[in-house]
DNA sequence: GAATGAAAATGATCAGATCACTTGGTCATT
DNA sequence: AATGACCAAGTGATCTGATCATTTTCATTC
């Protein structure tokens, strides 16, 4: 049984989707570049417009392309990625959010250690910028934007590891509902402490101290996790 | 800049996609269950067939639904997932494969430790079955199927952690091109040693020895990684 | 009871048209 | 020259309605 072996009859849509991806690759297009109009694509592949649109929707769902009304079809931000956050995922339950944080607490510390070993000047600068922006946002009180920038820090930390796959994984587990994570932060409350912890992690990475970076990242995420758990199951008395 | 703040104008397609997901959720449908015909959906949402099909293609791309020619629309295997392997990802380069294995070597050991703490009898039995099947396949020499079952073992190990998100992450990094990993295995060659290592991991998990499970998993993946690296950069003399 | 084959249900694709949005240019106003 | 209103072309979004291909069902037949 199962799908192993045998000739997989590729559907027309499969062909269209992969052909368009090849087209993008052949032209060396990068994220954000304009691709080609729907009508032009339909003509190129000798299919009707609705058909090419179905294939485009499929690509769109994985972030490979982007359709902008009135403007055109563009290369998407997630072109070429192996691991993705489900763009259609519903708002996760409280349990799921705890799971998500547990996953992060498990994955990100060793990633931070790797980042401490492989970090480049460019990566350090990117993290510096995120922390500077975060400091500004604490001043201005824009908590929604702050939550996003804090996630950006975690992502750039993962990027600093030099492993794109790990960066994608971390991206995927951090992208889920910043709104919910904002609520968490709001409860956690101590935004300044968060910033300080991020700064400490960055310094460990800058100093190429893998062990310290790992420990600080673990403590940081475990701290958040503790707060969440306390809220979920408030003390009995 | 960026997408923060502001009113996000949800398109008709966004509404259709999320409405259909809600419909599936409301009906308590599980993966594999029949959903509803395209025509019926078009009628229900008062839109034309090509429109509903675009929305369905979007859902299909994330594994939320499945369209079977002549049969109907069914609930997909990945319904409700947060993290996904990009179903449209091209065959990764050699570098990317090494990255993928590095990511696995980083993530899976602590997951194995967690599995040792949280494993249930059902999870243990599932892993037992995979190893039994793997043993059979070594006998019969079906290496393609063996590679798949070996990946199944790693997935069920992650499932045993009790954290669905972690399981999804491991799923995502193991699903990528079993074909390529098969090639790796073919080079690695020692299929019996692999099986023995898997068995040792399982026994550590069964014994609830988190530390051992973690160490064995790390050694197992590092071993594969070493082989790959040796192949990629053969010794100088 | 099993094999056969017609009919119905359903997805896949097509063709052409109309509506809605974006963009760039024109042109009058300032 | 800078600004803003306006218009027209390009492009995505959606509709209508039909035809083809595949699967499933079920009555018929042996």
């Amino acid at each position: 049984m199962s799908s192993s072996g045998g000739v997989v009859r590729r559907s027309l849509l499969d062909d269209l989707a992969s052909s368009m991806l090849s087209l993008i690759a052949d032209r060396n297009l990068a994220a954000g570049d304009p691709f080609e109009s729907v009508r032009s694509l339909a003509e190129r592949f000798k299919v009707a417009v609705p058909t090419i649109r179905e294939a485009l929707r499929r690509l769109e769902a994985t972030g490979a392309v982007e359709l902008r009304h009135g403007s055109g079809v563009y290369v998407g931000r997630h072109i070429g990625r192996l691991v993705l956050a489900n763009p259609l995922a519903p708002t996760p339950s409280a349990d799921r959010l705890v799971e998500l944080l547990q996953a992060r607490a498990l994955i990100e510390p060793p990633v931070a250690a790797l980042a401490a070993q492989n970090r480049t000047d460019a990566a350090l600068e990117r993290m510096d910028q995120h922390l500077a922006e975060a400091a500004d946002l604490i001043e201005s009180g824009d908590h929604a934007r702050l939550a996003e920038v804090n996630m950006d820090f975690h992502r750039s930390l993962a990027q600093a590891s030099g492993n794109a796959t790990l960066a994608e994984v971390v991206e995927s587990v951090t992208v889920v509902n910043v709104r919910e994570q904002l609520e968490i932060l709001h409860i956690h409350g101590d935004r300044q402490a968060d910033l300080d912890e991020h700064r400490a992690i960055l310094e460990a990475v800058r100093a190429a101290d893998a062990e310290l970076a790992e420990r600080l990242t673990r403590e940081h995420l475990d701290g958040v996790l503790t707060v969440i758990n306390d809220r979920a199951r408030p003390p009995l008395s």
Side-chain angles (χ1 to χ4, degrees), chain A:
Chain A
M1 41 125 279
S2 100
S3 63
S4 74
V7 178
V8 177
R9 179 162 25 100
R10 288 174 60 82
S11 74
L12 173 58
L13 229 56
D14 292 336
D15 288 338
L16 284 176
S18 60
S19 294
M20 287 194 284
L21 285 179
S22 300
L23 208 52
I24 290 174
D26 290 347
R27 293 180 186 171
N28 278 94
L29 297 181
D33 290 345
F35 180 35
E36 199 171 317
S37 82
V38 171
R39 287 172 178 85
S40 163
L41 286 168
E43 203 173 328
R44 171 189 299 276
F45 293 111
K46 302 274 186 285
V47 297
V49 166
T51 306
I52 206 75
R53 285 182 65 83
E54 283 188 35
L56 282 171
R57 288 300 179 193
R58 179 184 282 189
L59 294 181
E60 183 199 44
T62 64
V65 304
E66 193 180 330
L67 282 75
R68 296 187 205 153
H69 193 171
S71 178
V73 180
Y74 297 80
V75 178
R77 279 170 310 157
H78 299 332
I79 183 79
R81 284 186 58 164
L82 295 181
V83 178
L84 293 170
N86 185 350
L88 279 52
T91 299
S93 64
D95 286 352
R96 210 76 166 76
L97 271 180
V98 171
E99 260 192 8
L100 210 50
L101 264 170
Q102 283 175 334
R104 291 186 55 198
L106 212 78
I107 294 170
E108 294 191 43
V111 172
L114 192 59
Q117 291 165 20
N118 297 344
R119 86 276 185 280
T120 63
D121 288 345
L124 289 172
E125 191 168 345
R126 223 176 304 127
M127 288 187 275
D128 270 327
Q129 284 173 355
H130 285 143
L131 291 191
E133 192 176 352
D136 288 347
L137 290 168
I138 288 180
E139 292 287 329
S140 71
D142 185 347
H143 296 162
R145 178 87 188 113
L146 174 60
E148 278 187 28
V149 174
N150 278 335
M151 289 302 118
D152 284 342
F153 173 78
H154 283 269
R155 288 175 200 141
S156 55
L157 177 61
Q159 281 187 311
S161 74
N163 184 315
T165 306
L166 278 173
E168 289 177 7
V169 168
V170 170
E171 232 272 330
S172 300
V173 293
T174 53
V175 81
V176 177
N177 273 309
V178 177
R179 197 175 306 276
E180 271 67 24
Q181 311 223 7
L182 168 62
E183 194 178 333
I184 289 166
L185 262 186
H186 200 266
I187 293 159
H188 190 181
D190 203 339
R191 285 169 270 275
Q192 185 62 48
D194 262 359
L195 177 57
D196 291 342
E197 288 171 20
H198 283 174
R199 278 180 173 145
I201 292 169
L202 174 52
E203 288 321 306
V205 170
R206 197 191 307 277
D209 188 337
E211 223 173 294
L212 183 60
E214 176 164 4
R215 208 189 74 223
L216 291 176
T217 303
R218 176 165 289 121
E219 288 172 0
H220 172 58
L221 288 171
D222 281 346
V224 179
L225 201 47
T226 300
V227 174
I228 305 292
N229 275 327
D230 285 354
R231 183 191 73 145
R233 307 175 225 132
L236 292 179
S237 61

